[in-house]
């Protein structure tokens, strides 16, 4: 299916009401991806006039039944009527979205494409054949989506016509695939029964499946939200080259994220040198006036002479990337020779390259077997997490913070040998020194879950002061404990009185406070407990770090009680002190709390009782695979 089809209908200029979403389509090779894509192109009016009729006539002349997949074969050979083709993508429009559909022909090819930066998906369509059901490759694709951090997944159960549109058969597949995905920490957006060949459930509800009242495939695509646009991220301008014109020294590169303009104060990383942008240069018209945004290639001149080299990152001083010699990354290995601890490699981060050595290898995974194994190396087409020691400092971002600068490529002997995602740039602090040997628990995770009747998890309650986080956390702790579980409360204020008493309320200290909370909570979760964290944690970036540390165990709950209600409660008198100027840096007075954009649950304690809110959290924990079915009687508590 390797191509891009641009809609033949006239495209309107970019419009915020019609955002672009990038969707990867995965599934077993015979489960109907090409048929579904052909049908989507037809149902969304994205085909050239007369193309469908022409292909049907050709099929009739050849004495063969028409197949929707023929559309892709035909379009691949033509470039007329506004059709453009490349190697991996199909473009079409729904009612409210510009859709870029990314083909994933096989799980190894998929990982190579996704993990090295060729594409970045906002969500996924996972296709299952109604007759064949969930296959091993289906499970592998779900696992790979988990590895790559794709959390918005819609499941399409295709070929319902082959099972007589059976509601029972659909229910079996829905339950099986939902259990698999939730076990990986992916809550399916929808599980949709369709017949791509006949059009049932693709763009309109099917009279042959009146028992189904959920969204169609097009409806599901219309609800997907795109990732944060690159121009809204922090400024990242990797330096590609430095040119000398007349008396001007021009630093050139492409703005990968954020925006800049003349007069901005910038920092050049990893050296940390600060300057102001004197002018923004371009060709043929220069200098450029006004703000320049992500995607634009520019040159800049600085207000002072500084040594700048290829591979440096230019950022605003208030939001600079980390300079580091240690990186923790999740990589996909392509080389014939396995990657081992101590191996010497070349690491490329954008335009920067550095010699490096592998300090440690963790969580080696064979995507084909879906299992983590204790190993000292990563074999070809396997995935693993590694700590890398770099020969020279680089500027880097975690992928969760900035996908544009959070990817790396590894070379061995001049060949690309692997690629991956930067998980953190604090590996130097978190790496295990050679003279320390961690001691594993004597208990296996399954022994703990058998006793507690739940898996370990981090339940992170965030919200304004006095929103009800601690009250709700205590109620949840009591409820889970009464059912035989092992909940442990980690209240932000309580830990500040002990473990974190050396921290203040600067941005740096707040970040470190959240990191420590996340580390403690994650340790508890890995040992089978449900760590319930109640912390204001106002920064999205700090909460993203917490999610990164806890990985699939993390469940974020926004206690979204309105600010005026929180201030009217004021149980500790903090709002009153802040209003009087006696309490500096207090979150809640002003706009310093960053509302979660993609949390697992939202609760407003001003309109929801603590009992109902607790039940809602337990329901979420049950549906996402943390609690066992026997632990909670949903009918009695919801």
């Amino acid at each position: 299916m390797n191509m891009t089809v641009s809609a033949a209908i006239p495209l309107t200029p970019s419009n915020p009401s019609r955002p672009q979403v990038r969707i990867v389509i995965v599934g077993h090779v015979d489960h109907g991806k090409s048929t579904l894509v052909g049908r989507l192109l037809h149902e969304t009016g994205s085909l050239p006039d007369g193309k469908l009729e022409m292909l049907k006539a050709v099929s009739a002349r050849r004495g063969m039944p028409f197949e929707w997949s023929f559309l892709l074969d035909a379009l691949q050979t033509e470039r007329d009527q506004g059709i453009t083709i490349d190697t991996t993508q199909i473009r079409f429009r729904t009612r409210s979205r510009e859709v870029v559909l990314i083909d994933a022909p096989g799980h190894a090819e998929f990982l190579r494409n996704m993990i090295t930066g060729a594409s970045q998906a906002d969500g996924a369509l996972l296709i299952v054949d109604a007759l064949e059901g969930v296959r091993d490759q289906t499970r592998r694709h779900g696992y790979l989506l988990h590895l790559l951090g794709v959390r918005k997944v819609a499941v399409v159960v295709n070929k319902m016509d082959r099972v007589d549109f059976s509601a029972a058969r659909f229910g079996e597949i829905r339950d099986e695939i939902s259990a698999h995905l939730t076990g990986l920490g992916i809550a399916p957006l929808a599980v949709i029964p369709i017949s791509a060949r006949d059009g049932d459930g693709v763009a309109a509800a099917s009279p042959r499946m009146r028992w189904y009242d959920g969204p169609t495939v097009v409806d599901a695509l219309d609800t997907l939200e795109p990732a944060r646009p690159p121009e809204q991220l922090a400024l990242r301008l990797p330096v590609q080259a430095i040119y000398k014109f007349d008396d001007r020294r021009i630093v050139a590169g492409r703005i990968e994220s954020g925006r800049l303009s003349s007069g901005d104060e910038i920092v050049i990383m990893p050296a940390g040198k600060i300057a102001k942008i004197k002018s923004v240069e371009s060709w043929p018209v220069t200098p450029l006036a006004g703000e320049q945004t992500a995607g634009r290639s520019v040159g800049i001149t600085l207000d002072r002479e500084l040594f700048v080299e290829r591979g440096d990152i230019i950022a605003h001083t208030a939001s600079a990337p980390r300079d580091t010699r240690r990186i923790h990354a999740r990589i996909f290995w392509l080389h014939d020779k396995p990657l081992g601890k101590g191996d010497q490699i070349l690491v490329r981060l954008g335009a920067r390259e550095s010699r490096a050595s592998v300090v440690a290898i963790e969580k080696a995974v064979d995507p084909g077997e879906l299992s983590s194994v204790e190993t000292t190396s990563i074999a070809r087409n396997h995935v693993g997490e590694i700590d890398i020691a770099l020969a020279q400092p680089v500027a880097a971002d975690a992928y969760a913070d900035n996908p544009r600068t959070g990817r790396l490529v590894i070379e061995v002997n001049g060949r690309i040998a692997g690629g991956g995602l930067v998980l953190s740039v604090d590996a130097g602090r978190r790496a295990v020194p050679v003279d320390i040997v961690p001691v594993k628990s004597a208990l296996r995770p399954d022994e703990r879950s058998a006793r507690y009747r739940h898996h370990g998890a981090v339940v992170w309650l965030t919200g304004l002061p006095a929103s009800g986080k601690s009250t709700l956390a205590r109620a949840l702790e009591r409820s889970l404990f009464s059912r035989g579980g092992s909940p442990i409360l980690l209240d932000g204020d309580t830990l500040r009185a002990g473990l974190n008493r050396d921290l203040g309320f600067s941005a740096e200290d707040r970040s470190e406070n959240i990191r420590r909370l996340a580390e403690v909570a994650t340790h508890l979760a890995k040992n089978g407990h449900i760590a319930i964290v109640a912390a204001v944690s106002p920064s999205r970036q700090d909460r993203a770090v917490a999610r990164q540390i806890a990985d699939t165990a993390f469940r974020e709950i926004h206690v979204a009680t309105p600010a005026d209600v929180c201030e009217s409660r004021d149980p500790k008198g903090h709002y009153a002190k802040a209003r009087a100027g006696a309490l500096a840096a207090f979150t809640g007075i002003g706009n310093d709390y960053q509302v979660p954009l993609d949390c697992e649950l939202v609760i407003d304690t001003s309109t929801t009782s603590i009992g109902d809110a607790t039940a809602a959290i337990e329901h979420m924990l049950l549906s996402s695979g943390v609690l066992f079915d026997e632990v909670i009687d949903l009918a009695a508590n919801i």
Side-chain angles (χ1 to χ4, degrees):
M1 190 165 70
N2 302 318
M3 62 180 203
T4 295
V5 178
S6 295
I9 56 178
L11 294 180
T12 57
S14 178
N15 187 327
S17 66
R18 294 181 57 82
Q20 175 179 282
V21 292
R22 300 171 62 85
I23 310 298
V24 64
I25 180 167
V26 296
H28 190 278
V29 65
D30 296 322
H31 285 194
K33 287 193 300 177
S34 296
T35 302
L36 175 58
V37 173
R39 192 84 205 196
L40 280 169
L41 291 172
H42 169 64
E43 298 289 350
T44 57
S46 300
L47 290 171
D49 292 340
K51 179 61 64 179
L52 179 61
E53 291 73 16
M54 183 270 287
L55 288 174
K56 287 183 175 180
V58 170
S59 297
R61 287 198 301 271
R62 294 177 178 175
M64 58 191 302
F66 171 76
E67 297 286 348
W68 286 101
S69 58
F70 293 169
L71 283 169
L72 304 184
D73 297 333
L75 292 171
Q76 192 167 10
T77 63
E78 298 185 17
R79 296 174 182 269
D80 61 351
Q81 302 188 54
I83 302 288
T84 58
I85 302 168
D86 64 21
T87 57
T88 57
Q89 302 175 359
I90 303 107
R91 297 177 183 270
F92 60 90
R93 299 173 61 179
T94 64
R95 288 180 293 273
S96 60
R97 296 288 186 270
E98 304 287 341
V99 180
V100 178
L101 203 59
I102 307 163
D103 180 27
H107 71 274
E109 293 86 351
F110 172 40
L111 258 185
R112 293 182 193 190
N113 195 23
M114 292 286 289
I115 210 164
T116 57
S119 56
Q120 299 171 9
D122 301 312
L125 289 178
L126 175 60
I127 299 182
V128 183
D129 185 309
L131 185 61
E132 294 188 5
V134 178
R135 302 289 296 273
D136 286 346
Q137 195 179 28
T138 311
R139 295 186 181 90
R140 290 183 187 121
H141 278 121
Y143 192 77
L144 300 183
L145 292 172
H146 152 69
L147 285 177
L148 295 167
V150 180
R151 301 176 60 204
K152 300 172 183 177
V153 179
V155 179
V156 177
V157 181
N158 191 23
K159 304 185 183 180
M160 287 297 298
D161 52 297
R162 298 180 64 188
V163 295
D164 296 324
F165 298 94
S166 167
R169 176 58 176 160
F170 170 73
E172 292 172 4
I173 295 173
R174 178 197 60 211
D175 294 346
E176 182 178 1
I177 191 63
S178 296
H180 175 64
L181 292 176
T182 54
L184 298 172
I186 300 173
L189 299 174
V191 183
I192 309 166
I194 71 164
S195 169
R197 185 189 69 179
D198 300 330
D200 298 85
V202 176
S206 169
R208 296 192 282 188
M209 294 183 289
R210 298 187 187 280
W211 42 265
Y212 174 74
D213 59 359
T216 64
V217 177
V218 172
D219 290 338
L221 294 176
D222 271 341
T223 63
L224 284 169
E225 291 296 330
R228 192 177 173 193
E231 60 268 18
Q232 293 183 14
L233 299 173
L235 171 65
R236 296 292 183 266
L237 173 61
V239 176
Q240 294 285 344
I242 298 93
Y243 301 103
K244 187 71 181 289
F245 286 100
D246 303 323
D247 60 346
R248 293 174 298 160
R249 191 161 172 265
I250 299 177
V251 180
R254 171 189 160 103
I255 304 173
E256 292 297 331
S257 63
R259 52 191 73 217
L260 61 77
S261 57
S262 60
D264 286 358
E265 185 175 71
I266 55 95
V267 60
I268 302 165
M269 299 295 291
K273 302 170 183 175
I274 295 176
K276 284 189 176 182
I277 297 176
K278 184 177 180 181
S279 67
V280 182
E281 308 287 335
S282 185
W283 179 267
V285 179
T286 196
L288 292 175
E291 196 171 58
Q292 308 302 311
T293 59
R296 183 75 187 263
S297 293
V298 298
I300 62 173
T301 64
L302 305 177
D303 68 342
R304 64 199 68 179
E305 288 289 334
L306 294 175
F307 177 71
V308 182
E309 60 182 325
R310 175 179 166 83
D312 285 347
I313 299 288
I314 292 175
H316 287 132
T317 52
S319 54
R322 285 281 304 276
D323 61 297
T324 183
R325 289 178 181 264
R326 300 291 285 268
I327 287 175
H328 187 66
R330 180 182 296 138
I331 68 159
F332 181 59
W333 191 242
L334 304 171
H335 202 276
D336 292 335
K337 180 185 175 183
L339 179 68
K341 181 179 176 181
D343 283 356
Q344 301 299 302
I345 56 178
L346 182 74
V347 173
R348 294 186 182 277
L349 285 149
R352 171 78 75 185
E353 65 179 44
S354 173
R355 295 290 171 187
S357 61
V358 179
V359 176
I361 292 180
E362 308 170 8
K363 300 180 182 178
V365 174
D366 177 0
E369 297 297 329
L370 304 184
S371 61
S372 296
V373 292
E374 293 291 336
T375 183
T376 58
S377 64
I378 303 174
R380 184 183 182 190
N381 289 339
H382 286 207
V383 175
E385 293 186 12
I386 64 175
D387 282 347
I388 306 169
L390 300 159
Q392 59 185 20
V394 301
D397 292 296
Y399 174 81
D401 299 332
N402 196 323
R404 301 282 174 166
T405 50
R407 296 176 182 267
L408 58 84
V409 173
I410 299 173
E411 286 189 9
V412 173
N413 297 326
R415 290 179 51 201
I416 293 179
L421 310 179
V422 177
L423 299 184
S424 68
V425 293
D426 58 353
R429 285 191 297 164
R430 299 183 63 202
V432 179
V434 294
D435 58 337
I436 293 178
V437 181
V439 178
K440 294 185 177 180
S441 171
L443 302 179
R444 300 191 312 273
D446 59 331
E447 291 179 285
R448 295 181 186 274
S449 61
R451 169 167 292 189
Y452 301 145
R453 308 307 299 158
H454 61 64
H455 297 298
V458 175
V459 179
W460 195 282
L461 302 171
T462 175
L464 291 171
S467 59
K469 300 181 299 299
S470 297
T471 302
L472 184 52
R474 285 163 53 87
L476 178 63
E477 181 186 36
R478 171 58 64 185
S479 179
L480 293 175
F481 181 78
S482 68
R483 294 180 172 87
S486 180
I488 299 178
L489 174 63
L490 297 175
D491 185 81
D493 280 358
T494 303
L495 265 71
R496 275 190 173 277
L499 175 66
N500 295 341
R501 65 184 178 185
D502 59 321
L503 299 176
F505 290 88
S506 67
E508 293 78 12
D509 281 1
R510 285 175 182 264
S511 296
E512 176 61 13
N513 177 57
I514 297 307
R515 189 192 69 81
R516 292 183 192 177
L517 270 172
E519 293 282 6
V520 173
T522 301
H523 179 74
L524 293 172
K526 287 180 177 178
N527 284 279
H529 307 287
I530 296 180
I532 307 170
V533 178
V536 175
S537 45
S539 165
R540 289 195 194 106
Q541 182 174 348
D542 291 346
R543 296 194 301 268
V545 169
R547 184 184 289 275
Q548 176 184 315
I549 292 170
D551 202 10
T552 57
F554 196 81
R555 305 289 188 276
E556 185 179 18
I557 300 170
H558 180 206
V559 185
T561 308
D564 57 341
V565 175
C566 296
E567 186 166 0
S568 68
R569 292 173 176 173
D570 202 14
K572 301 175 183 178
H574 288 165
Y575 282 91
K577 291 179 181 178
R579 291 290 186 191
L583 192 60
F586 177 71
T587 301
I589 305 298
N591 297 315
D592 50 349
Y593 181 82
Q594 297 175 340
V595 174
L597 300 178
D598 193 21
C599 57
E600 278 74 13
L601 190 63
V602 178
I603 293 173
D604 181 349
T605 62
S606 69
T607 58
T608 305
S609 70
I610 294 299
D612 288 343
T614 302
I617 297 174
E618 290 176 332
H619 184 203
M620 180 270 292
L621 294 176
L622 177 67
S623 64
S624 65
V626 175
L627 299 183
F628 294 176
D629 290 352
E630 307 94 295
V631 175
I632 178 171
D633 180 0
L634 291 177
N637 290 283
I638 296 180

